[in-house]
Amino acid sequence: MPFSSFDVINVMDWLIDIFTNNDSIAHIVMLYSIVIAVGVLLGKIKFGGISLGVTFVLFAGIVAGHIGFTGPLQTLTFLQEFGLVLFVFMIGLQVGPGFFESFGTAGIKMNALSAVIILLNILVMFGCYYAFFDTSNSHNLPMLVGTLYGAVTNTPGLGAANEALGSVFTENVPQIASGYACAYPLGVLGIIGATILIRYICNIKLEKEEERLQEEEAENTATKPCRLRLKVTNAYLEGKTMLQVHSFLNRDFVCSRILHDGHVSIPNRNTVFHIDDILNIVTAENDKEAIIAFIGPETDIDWEEQDQPLISKRIVVTNPSINGKTLGKMHFSSVHGVNVTRVTRHGIELFASVSLPIQVGDRIMVIGPKDAVERVTTLMGNSARKLNAPNIATIFIGIIIGIIFGSLPIAIPGMPVPMKLGIAGGPLIIAILIGRYGYKIHLVTYTTTSANMMLREIGLVLFLASVGIKAGAGFWDTVVRGDGLLYVLSGFLITTIPILIIGTISRKRFNFNYFTLMGMIAGTYTDPPALAYANSICSKEAPAVGYSTVYPLSMFLRIFTAQIIVLFFCG
């Protein structure tokens, strides 16, 4: 039956209602879907080889808000805050396992320089505030805080500042996303441009930096695991137990198999050594020579031809009851008749020391008789399917604790209101602690990289879309008719001045490798495009190492200082 003009009018009314009825659920879903989809697609467009990525959702939201395509303020605020909580919590879970380990010998120096950059960003912001803006206007400093976080390309900091402003301004809260939007594009370009400028200031040759990395890499192989097959020729070892040999040699090694009189067995701490025994040993490269000199020379042998063939198998730990138990407490050798030689966690190979706690998601290398290895496989779980599902309970238990922790008031003299870590800082700190120590209270914190990224990106786009839509109504008056160009200039200075100062000092005073320095700067600014550029001109992993070393602390400091600035200076 053909449509009548009445039917067409009804369809048009229905479509118009979806786009204009701000109170309907369909309208809210349509609003966010359009803003996020358009923003993500536009963010993939590259300008000079650089894209703004998912942050373009903010600009799409600003356009939607400017043309009146918006929703109820209460709904926008809820989705904004929920997205922020989800985003920062998943970041905390990601960086938690390596947060405290990042303060190693080299890490302390890099994190200290990173913290100085963050401090300089803030000082340059205040310099711009007093140089370019009317200090009698109470909204100028909050807007410049938004500009600061656009200049350093840090969205969680923007969220933390936004939340803190809500406790300072009871009404007419400044929409600091406008300042963020002004500074962000030039912030991305400024980070990369400043690191390139450092190359010319310090007269750096990329070829020499690559050669230097190769030399350092050769030196670092001393800590990598290596496998040895040794024949016992030291008469002192005759009749000595494995424990006695370990104690005397004072070197960390694992003996996974021993061949004695034609019989292969799995040794334990009470196994006795004899002359002409053949040992299969895993140790660190820098202990190799000492162990060979003490035990005996390397030899060739085919273990498969012996009367008790042994197999090696990499097993994935998926049994929650194993989470947090140390290798020593599992008694693999004495009870199960197998040896664990290596543990792989987050792509990093760890030496299987008895004090190492096992975590869900670890991959352990097990050596032993086939039936014993299969029993251990069953015990560990070895179900990759279980790892594909995120541990939702752990995530939301952590969020509950994080919200409570972030709501605790901290009275500080001179501050107009008690400081709170808020829904950005609280969940972030709790997530870092759970990611690092959750196994101690039997919380399974493992989440696949793809699952973490999906939840994190969903939280981020909800936050950016909400902030953009709310800021869109006043964006034209604030930026185009107001101080937009001053925000852009201030953002550029905030971005580049600290990089040029600390980057030059890091190179000339501390002799940092240029590629490591690039990664450190990208991590301090939590800027993936800058890391991608560094990776594109370096064949090694130095940029990623520098990035990951400073990223956890930088993310924490960006969020924490955002609230400090607002509560101390914007009240």
Side-chain angles (χ1 to χ4, degrees), residues 92-420:
L93 276 187
Q94 179 196 25
V95 305
F99 184 81
F100 298 100
E101 282 74 7
S102 67
F103 298 103
T105 304
I108 290 177
K109 187 183 296 182
M110 292 178 67
N111 277 289
L113 289 169
S114 177
V116 174
I117 290 178
I118 293 171
L119 177 61
L120 285 176
N121 290 138
I122 297 171
L123 292 178
V124 174
M125 179 204 73
F126 276 107
C128 293
Y129 171 62
Y130 288 109
F132 304 142
F133 294 89
D134 179 8
T135 57
S136 64
N137 188 333
S138 62
H139 279 215
N140 278 340
L141 184 55
M143 289 297 295
L144 209 52
V145 172
T147 303
L148 164 67
Y149 284 94
V152 301
T153 69
N154 187 264
T155 307
L158 171 68
N162 238 335
E163 184 200 357
L165 283 170
S167 63
V168 174
F169 289 83
T170 55
E171 57 183 21
N172 195 20
V173 180
Q175 296 299 318
I176 63 174
S178 299
Y180 179 94
C182 287
Y184 188 91
L186 207 55
V188 174
L189 296 174
I191 295 168
I192 297 174
T195 55
I196 293 174
L197 188 56
I198 290 172
R199 185 201 310 176
Y200 294 101
I201 292 174
C202 300
N203 194 26
I204 296 171
K205 305 298 181 185
L206 298 184
E207 299 80 7
K208 291 184 178 180
E209 297 302 296
E210 286 270 6
E211 292 173 4
R212 182 177 161 191
L213 284 178
Q214 290 178 353
E215 294 172 0
E216 292 174 356
E217 191 175 79
E219 294 175 1
N220 290 335
T221 56
T223 61
K224 294 182 179 179
C226 72
R227 285 182 286 182
L228 303 171
R229 291 172 180 176
L230 305 180
K231 183 176 182 179
V232 179
T233 59
N234 184 354
Y236 171 81
L237 299 183
E238 178 66 37
K240 298 295 189 298
T241 65
M242 176 77 72
L243 181 61
Q244 290 174 317
V245 174
H246 259 288
S247 300
F248 183 85
L249 186 56
N250 197 26
R251 294 288 195 278
D252 206 359
F253 70 89
V254 174
C255 184
S256 60
R257 314 179 197 184
I258 184 169
L259 174 62
H260 175 69
D261 288 339
H263 300 285
V264 178
S265 62
I266 302 293
N268 56 42
R269 60 188 296 171
N270 297 316
T271 298
V272 176
F273 284 9
H274 300 282
I275 296 295
D276 294 331
D277 284 352
I278 306 297
L279 312 178
N280 196 70
I281 286 177
V282 179
T283 186
E285 186 71 31
N286 56 348
D287 290 331
K288 174 181 175 180
E289 296 302 325
I291 290 175
I292 292 175
F294 184 70
I295 294 177
E298 293 188 81
T299 184
D300 292 326
I301 185 172
D302 188 352
W303 296 100
E304 301 300 329
E305 293 182 358
Q306 309 309 315
D307 64 342
Q308 188 185 357
L310 304 177
I311 66 170
S312 60
K313 183 176 182 180
R314 194 175 293 276
I315 300 172
V316 183
V317 179
T318 58
N319 183 355
S321 65
I322 303 298
N323 197 54
K325 293 184 177 180
T326 64
L327 289 172
K329 290 183 178 180
M330 290 301 299
H331 304 293
F332 284 106
S333 177
S334 58
V335 175
H336 302 287
V338 300
N339 271 343
V340 176
T341 59
R342 283 164 289 169
V343 177
T344 304
R345 179 176 300 161
H346 301 298
I348 300 173
E349 198 167 81
L350 307 173
F351 188 80
S353 65
V354 294
S355 60
L356 181 69
I358 305 173
Q359 297 183 21
V360 170
D362 286 351
R363 285 165 169 77
I364 61 175
M365 177 62 76
V366 176
I367 296 176
K370 184 176 181 180
D371 58 341
V373 171
E374 291 306 319
R375 286 195 300 271
V376 172
T377 301
T378 302
L379 176 65
M380 296 293 105
N382 200 41
S383 175
R385 181 182 299 178
K386 288 184 178 180
L387 297 181
N388 291 332
N391 294 287
I392 296 294
T394 296
I395 292 171
F396 283 97
I397 288 172
I399 288 176
I400 292 170
I401 299 172
I403 294 295
I404 295 173
F405 181 65
S407 300
L408 296 175
I410 305 171
I412 298 178
M415 189 175 288
V417 293
M419 187 189 117
K420 298 178 182 178

Side-chain angles (χ1 to χ4, degrees), residues 92 234 272 284 424 475 488 490 517 549:
N234 184 354
V272 176
F475 185 78
V488 173
S490 299
L517 177 60
T549 299

Side-chain angles (χ1 to χ4, degrees), residues 109 113 197-205 209 212 499-514 517 520-521:
K109 187 183 296 182
L113 289 169
L197 188 56
I198 290 172
R199 185 201 310 176
Y200 294 101
I201 292 174
C202 300
N203 194 26
I204 296 171
K205 305 298 181 185
E209 297 302 296
R212 182 177 161 191
I499 293 177
L500 294 176
I501 294 173
I502 300 303
T504 304
I505 292 174
S506 300
R507 176 65 180 188
K508 290 187 175 292
R509 175 68 177 82
F510 300 107
N511 197 29
F512 272 49
N513 183 279
Y514 179 64
L517 177 60
M520 184 194 82
I521 292 171

